[in-house]
């Protein structure tokens, strides 16, 4: 592989005009496609195989035209102190509001609180439910304005009015902190390279790669039903890996120049060596992201594949456009140890007395005290992981919104007037198509549910026109995210199994609360198979890269430490509320159900990045004759500074998304940033060299039969060394 990439690097350097034109053309085409594509709506959220999804599909089939996936709004009214909603004046105001809301072209129906008995027992709170034909993201601005205006008119009459539901759902934004993250990355690159030109190359190529990836996602969003979160996460990961991959190749290029090689040769060797590490690091990220499809949640699968595509583009750009741009930059990118006038260090460092860099000094310390460093690192990460034992999973609802929003205030008013379970109603779908007496089945089902614990209200069955299917709404006594409500869902399903045995009628439970429970269980069930698949494939890949058994094993165990510590940090901030003000978390609550498995996938891929970049340098030194301990120091001497810069950049990019208005993006941005910190600076910079120092030569042991069976990918560039040596001998003969 090193030889192929070496030739690709030299070709890209020589044919830089063609390479640059190709990438600019791709960016232009993607941009034009995105601009001309129809706007994407709200991505549908389906969970194949779950009971909640089966019930939802049955509703669409048996109750056609009900717009089951349409937006809803709950307009909640509260009477002034000392008054009631049943007072004539307040009642007239509410009925005028209902009439005003019914005039909208996208409105399917509006329920009158007094006819639907939607008034609290004490008479102080009432609500009207508005159902729309389209989803919240597809709702016209005019319809949203009409909803807000009607509420404002009722407020003028003296009522407290708040609006809940998804009708006012807004497109999430990331805020200015994203730009700050990129600015921090730029500063780190300037400090690392001491040159604006060298620092600008990774930023430029990363932005081009992300531009192509996100534009492609935007262009396909409507056709493939991709939500806004998909492009945001692809941008987050694409920026981080795009900058890092380019950083490693530019750094190796400068190192090759420092050894006296011509610029084209240096570009070829940089792509052949560091580029090989980029390819395998990118493969581990792609495996981890594509592997999310085993969970069988379409939204998660699409997010993973879209992000994986952006990573693949970042790899290709690093291998081709970086050497092309290095050709354009010429002498403005200086050899390693020679900095530009920007930092006032134009003199080569080799002209000064040799002084070990920080990476060398740190590695030497770890090699001398490996056991102490190992224990300290493991204990520290273990302590950070403790909060993860209290992990609670859930899907966000209006109760997780900031208290400043009207959605959250409506949620609190409904809880006050009708009980905490009112915000998480359960919909029971009774399929009596195969039953002899459907009406009797509907009645029996309602009676069975009334006898269960934690049931406050059971509405009469509402059959469809055919009379073979009915819906029953159940109001729990506990809040939607409570264990008691989860037990009630399972209790209804157990009762439904008995009814099916007696009457051959199916009883299914759905609704947002039931869907949340099913999602959490599905994700929990999929976590172990996902880990086995992703870690197993990456383990085999790393055996090929490092030609070792223990090094990949150590890499996988180190990843488990860092991901558990990162999950602990997420729980501490978003669930417990530690430092929540600093992170902009206005409302604590359960961690997003998808967070653990998504974080496992992404963090594993990124963790292997640093493993590959750092340890390949150690492997390179070891196979070239250095002792194991010295190889560790050599690897840090060449790679620690660059890995540190890469980690800081990645943390800055991820942390930039903490400013997002969407709780999932905010949580993932924080989780990935803290995970990179744990993995890069504690696992890879401390635990890894300590373990390698303790293992010595055993770290690089590989059975002979396996060594013969494995393909030789030559990540260390041994083939390039041989090629260069032959070239030097030929030149000497010509001179003679």
């Amino acid at each position: 592989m090193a030889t192929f990439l070496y030739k690709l690097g030299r070709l890209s350097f020589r044919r830089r005009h063609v390479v640059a034109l190709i990438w600019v053309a791709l960016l232009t085409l993607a941009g034009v496609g995105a601009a001309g594509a129809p706007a994407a709506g709200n991505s549908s959220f389906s969970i194949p195989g779950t009971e909640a999804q089966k019930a939802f599909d049955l509703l669409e089939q048996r109750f056609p035209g009900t717009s089951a996936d349409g937006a809803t709004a709950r307009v909640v009214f509260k009477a002034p102190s000392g008054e009631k909603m049943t007072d004539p004046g307040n009642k007239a105001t509410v009925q005028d509001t209902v009439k005003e809301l019914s005039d909208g072209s996208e409105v399917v129906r509006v329920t009158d609180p007094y006819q639907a008995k939607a008034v609290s027992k004490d008479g102080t709170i009432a609500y009207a439910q508005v159902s729309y034909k389209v989803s919240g993201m597809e709702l016209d601005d005019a319809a949203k304005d009409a909803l807000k205006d009607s509420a404002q008119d009722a407020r003028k009459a003296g009522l407290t009015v708040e609006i809940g539901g998804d009708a006012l759902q807004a497109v999430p934004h990331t805020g200015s902190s994203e730009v700050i993250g990129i600015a921090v990355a730029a500063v780190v690159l300037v400090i690392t390279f001491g040159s604006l030109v060298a620092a600008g190359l990774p930023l430029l190529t990363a932005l081009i790669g992300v531009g192509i990836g996100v534009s492609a996602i935007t262009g396909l969003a409507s056709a493939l039903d991709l939500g806004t979160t998909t492009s945001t996460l692809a941008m987050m990961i694409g920026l981080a890996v795009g900058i890092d991959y380019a950083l490693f190749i530019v750094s190796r290029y400068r190192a090759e120049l420092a050894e006296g090689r011509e610029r084209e040769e240096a570009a070829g060797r940089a792509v052949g060596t560091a580029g090989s590490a980029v390819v395998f690091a990118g493969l581990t990220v792609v495996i981890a992201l594509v592997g999310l499809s085993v969970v069988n949640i379409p939204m998660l699968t699409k997010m993973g594949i879209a992000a994986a595509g952006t990573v693949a583009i970042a790899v290709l750009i690093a291998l081709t456009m970086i050497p092309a741009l290095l050709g354009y930059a010429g002498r403005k990118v200086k050899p390693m140890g020679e900095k530009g006038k920007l930092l006032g260090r134009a003199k080569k460092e080799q002209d000064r007395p040799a002084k070990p860099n920080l990476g060398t000094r740190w590695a030497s310390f770890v090699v001398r005290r490996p056991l102490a460093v190992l224990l300290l690192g493991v204990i520290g990460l273990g302590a950070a992981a403790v909060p993860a034992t209290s992990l609670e999973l859930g899907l966000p609802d209006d109760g997780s919104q900031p208290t400043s929003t009207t959605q959250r205030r409506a949620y609190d008013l409904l809880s006050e007037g009708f009980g905490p379970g009112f915000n998480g109603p359960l919909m029971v779908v009774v399929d009596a198509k195969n039953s002899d007496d459907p009406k009797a089945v509907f009645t029996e089902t309602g009676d069975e549910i009334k006898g269960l614990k934690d049931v406050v209200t059971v509405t009469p069955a509402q059959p469809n026109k055919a009379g073979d299917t009915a819906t029953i709404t159940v109001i729990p006594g506990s809040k939607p995210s409570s264990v008691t409500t989860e037990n009630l869902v399972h209790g209804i399903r157990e009762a439904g199994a008995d009814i099916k045995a007696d009457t051959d009628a199916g009883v299914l439970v759905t609704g947002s609360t039931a869907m949340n429970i099913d999602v959490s269980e599905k994700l929990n069930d999929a976590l172990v198979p996902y880990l086995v698949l992703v870690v197993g494939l990456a383990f085999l890949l790393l055996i090929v890269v490092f030609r070792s058994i223990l090094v990949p094993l150590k890499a996988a165990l180190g990843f488990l430490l860092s991901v558990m510590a990162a999950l602990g940090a997420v729980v501490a901030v978003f669930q417990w509320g530690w430092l929540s003000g600093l992170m902009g978390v206005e409302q604590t609550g359960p961690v997003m159900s998808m967070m653990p498995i998504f974080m496992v996938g992404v963090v594993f891929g990124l963790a292997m990045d640093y493993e590959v970049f750092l340890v390949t340098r150690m492997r390179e030194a070891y196979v070239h004759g250095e002792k194991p301990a010295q190889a560790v120091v050599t690897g840090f001497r060449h790679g620690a500074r660059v890995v540190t810069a890469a980690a800081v950049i990645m943390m800055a990019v991820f942390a930039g998304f903490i400013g997002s208005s969407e709780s999932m993006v905010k949580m993932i941005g924080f989780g990935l940033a803290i995970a990179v910190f744990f993995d890069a600076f504690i696992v890879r910079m401390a635990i890894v060299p300590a373990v390698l120092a303790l293992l010595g030569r055993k770290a690089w042991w590989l059975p002979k039969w396996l060594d013969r069976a494995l393909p030789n990918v030559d990540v260390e560039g041994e083939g390039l060394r041989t090629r260069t040596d032959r070239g030097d001998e030929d030149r000497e003969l010509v001179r003679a």
Side-chain angles (χ1 to χ4, degrees):
M1 174 178 285
T3 302
F4 169 76
L5 293 177
Y6 165 80
K7 294 177 180 177
L8 178 64
R10 294 195 63 168
L11 179 65
S12 300
F13 188 95
R14 283 198 309 274
R15 307 294 184 189
R16 47 188 172 272
H17 302 309
V18 176
V19 172
L21 183 62
I22 290 173
W23 283 113
V24 171
L26 288 174
L27 179 62
T28 304
L29 287 174
V32 170
N42 192 28
S43 180
S44 59
F45 187 80
S46 62
I47 314 293
T50 61
E51 181 172 316
Q53 185 64 45
K54 291 176 184 176
F56 186 82
D57 295 339
L58 184 64
L59 282 174
E60 289 192 328
Q61 179 185 347
R62 301 286 175 86
F63 291 82
T66 56
S67 301
D69 59 346
T72 59
R74 278 180 170 175
V75 183
V76 188
F77 306 89
K78 184 175 182 179
S81 179
E83 298 182 18
K84 293 191 176 184
M85 292 304 304
T86 51
D87 293 346
N90 293 335
K91 186 174 182 179
T93 299
V94 171
Q95 289 177 331
D96 289 343
T97 304
V98 169
K99 184 178 179 181
E100 185 179 347
L101 288 169
S102 302
D103 295 337
S105 60
E106 294 181 320
V107 175
V108 176
R109 63 182 175 276
V110 182
T111 61
D112 186 314
Y114 303 101
Q115 294 178 4
K117 297 181 180 180
V119 181
S120 63
K121 290 181 180 179
D122 62 4
T124 59
I125 297 174
Y127 72 91
Q129 181 152 316
V130 187
S131 300
Y132 294 90
K133 298 176 182 178
V134 296
S135 67
M137 296 294 287
E138 297 170 320
L139 203 60
D140 286 342
D141 290 339
K144 294 181 180 181
D145 291 339
L147 183 61
K148 295 175 184 176
D149 292 343
S150 64
Q152 189 60 35
D153 292 341
R155 289 190 187 105
K156 291 178 181 177
L159 298 178
T160 299
V161 187
E162 303 295 346
I163 305 172
D166 60 352
L168 296 182
Q169 184 177 7
V171 177
H173 62 274
T174 54
S176 59
S177 54
E178 176 189 347
V179 178
I180 295 174
I182 297 176
V184 171
V187 172
V188 173
L189 287 169
V190 170
I191 294 173
T192 302
F193 292 132
S195 164
L196 287 175
V197 174
L201 296 183
L203 279 176
L204 176 61
T205 54
L207 290 173
I208 290 174
V210 167
I212 294 172
V214 172
S215 297
I217 292 170
T218 304
L220 298 172
S222 179
L224 300 181
D225 190 26
L226 303 177
T228 53
T229 306
T230 303
S231 58
T232 303
L233 295 176
M235 180 191 303
M236 180 193 304
I237 296 170
L239 269 177
V241 300
I243 294 173
D244 277 8
Y245 294 164
L247 167 64
F248 279 98
I249 291 179
V250 173
S251 297
R252 188 61 185 251
Y253 170 77
R254 296 177 69 231
E256 297 295 334
L257 288 179
E259 293 184 11
R261 292 188 173 86
E262 302 249 343
R263 293 187 177 273
E264 182 179 328
E265 175 69 15
R269 289 184 62 86
V271 175
T273 51
S276 297
V278 165
V279 169
F280 282 100
L283 275 176
T284 59
V285 180
V286 169
I287 288 172
L289 291 171
V290 174
L292 291 170
S293 58
V294 303
V295 184
N296 197 26
I297 295 179
M299 187 178 81
L300 194 59
T301 299
K302 292 171 185 176
M303 287 165 55
I305 292 176
T310 309
V311 171
I313 292 172
V315 171
L316 292 174
I317 283 187
L319 297 178
T320 56
M321 196 167 185
I322 280 293
L325 292 179
L326 289 172
Y328 284 118
R331 298 186 178 278
K332 292 180 181 178
V333 177
K334 300 185 180 300
M336 185 77 71
E338 182 180 344
K339 304 239 176 171
K341 296 180 180 179
L342 182 65
L343 297 182
R345 294 174 60 185
K347 187 179 180 181
K348 290 188 177 182
E349 290 184 358
Q350 56 261 36
D351 295 339
R352 302 174 181 177
K355 180 182 178 182
N357 61 22
L358 182 60
T360 302
R361 298 196 298 273
W362 168 249
S364 300
F365 169 77
V366 174
V367 168
R368 290 195 304 270
R369 301 285 188 274
L371 189 58
V373 172
L374 176 61
L375 290 176
L376 188 61
V378 171
I379 292 172
L381 291 178
V386 169
T389 58
S390 301
L391 177 67
E392 295 178 8
L393 299 177
L395 290 175
D397 57 14
D398 286 347
S400 62
Q401 296 272 2
T403 53
S404 58
T405 62
T406 185
Q407 292 95 330
R408 173 59 189 275
R409 291 195 293 266
Y411 180 97
D412 292 339
L413 283 176
L414 289 171
S415 296
E416 177 188 339
F418 302 93
F422 191 81
N423 284 292
L426 305 175
M427 180 177 287
V428 179
V429 183
V430 185
D431 179 9
K433 191 173 186 178
N434 298 325
S435 176
D436 297 332
D437 190 354
K439 289 184 179 179
V441 173
F442 300 155
T443 303
E444 180 185 350
T445 303
D447 293 340
E448 285 286 338
I449 295 173
K450 288 176 183 177
L452 298 175
K453 294 180 180 180
D454 200 49
V455 173
V456 174
T457 305
V458 178
T459 64
Q462 301 292 323
N464 62 350
K465 290 182 180 180
D468 59 4
T469 307
T471 60
I472 300 173
T473 301
V474 180
I475 305 298
S478 304
K479 63 180 182 178
S481 59
S482 68
V483 176
T484 308
T485 302
E486 182 178 348
N487 292 336
L488 175 59
V489 171
H490 291 305
I492 296 173
R493 287 172 175 171
E494 289 172 3
D498 295 336
I499 293 172
K500 183 173 180 62
D502 295 338
T503 64
D504 204 25
V507 178
L508 305 172
V509 186
T510 189
S512 60
T513 302
M515 184 72 81
N516 181 13
I517 293 169
D518 288 350
V519 168
S520 298
E521 291 179 352
K522 191 177 182 70
L523 289 168
N524 287 337
D525 293 341
L527 185 57
V528 173
Y530 173 70
L531 275 173
V532 171
L533 173 68
V534 172
V535 176
L537 288 175
F539 181 76
L540 295 176
L541 186 66
L542 292 178
I543 288 177
V544 174
V545 173
F546 295 127
R547 309 195 78 79
S548 163
I549 298 293
L550 296 179
V551 171
L553 180 61
K554 172 248 336 155
L557 293 176
F559 150 73
L560 292 176
L561 275 174
S562 47
V563 78
M564 288 304 297
L567 277 175
V570 169
V571 170
V573 173
F574 290 89
Q575 188 176 307
W576 291 0
W578 293 5
L579 301 177
S580 57
L582 182 63
M583 298 297 167
V585 180
E586 296 186 38
Q587 181 62 37
T588 59
V591 173
M592 181 81 175
S593 295
M594 294 184 187
M595 178 67 185
I597 199 163
F598 186 83
M599 194 164 134
V600 163
V602 176
V603 172
F604 180 79
L606 300 180
M608 294 307 103
D609 276 5
Y610 300 116
E611 181 75 14
V612 169
F613 289 134
L614 195 58
V615 180
T616 47
R617 272 288 191 164
M618 300 178 191
R619 167 77 182 171
E620 184 177 343
Y622 177 75
V623 298
H624 291 154
E626 292 188 8
K627 294 181 179 180
Q630 184 57 40
V632 170
V633 176
T634 300
F636 268 77
R637 182 170 69 249
H638 292 294
R641 178 185 178 90
V642 181
V643 168
T644 299
V648 172
I649 288 169
M650 197 170 280
M651 287 168 58
V653 172
F654 288 149
F657 288 83
I658 296 176
S660 173
S661 63
E662 187 163 332
S663 58
M664 182 178 177
V665 175
K666 179 190 290 287
M667 194 178 294
I668 289 179
F670 171 79
L672 294 182
I674 197 70
V676 168
F677 172 77
F678 287 147
D679 196 85
F681 293 107
I682 299 180
V683 174
R684 308 302 154 189
M685 292 286 191
I687 294 177
V688 165
V691 171
L692 290 177
L694 289 170
L695 290 175
R697 294 186 182 277
K698 295 177 183 177
W700 307 106
W701 171 80
L702 185 70
K704 291 183 179 180
W705 63 268
L706 185 57
D707 187 37
R708 291 191 296 269
L710 292 176
N712 183 15
V713 295
D714 189 22
V715 177
E716 299 83 18
E718 186 63 29
L720 300 184
R721 180 180 289 263
T722 305
R723 171 191 291 268
T724 305
D725 291 344
R726 285 201 307 266
D728 292 341
E729 291 175 2
D730 292 343
R731 282 191 291 272
E732 289 297 329
L733 288 173
V734 169
R735 290 183 189 138

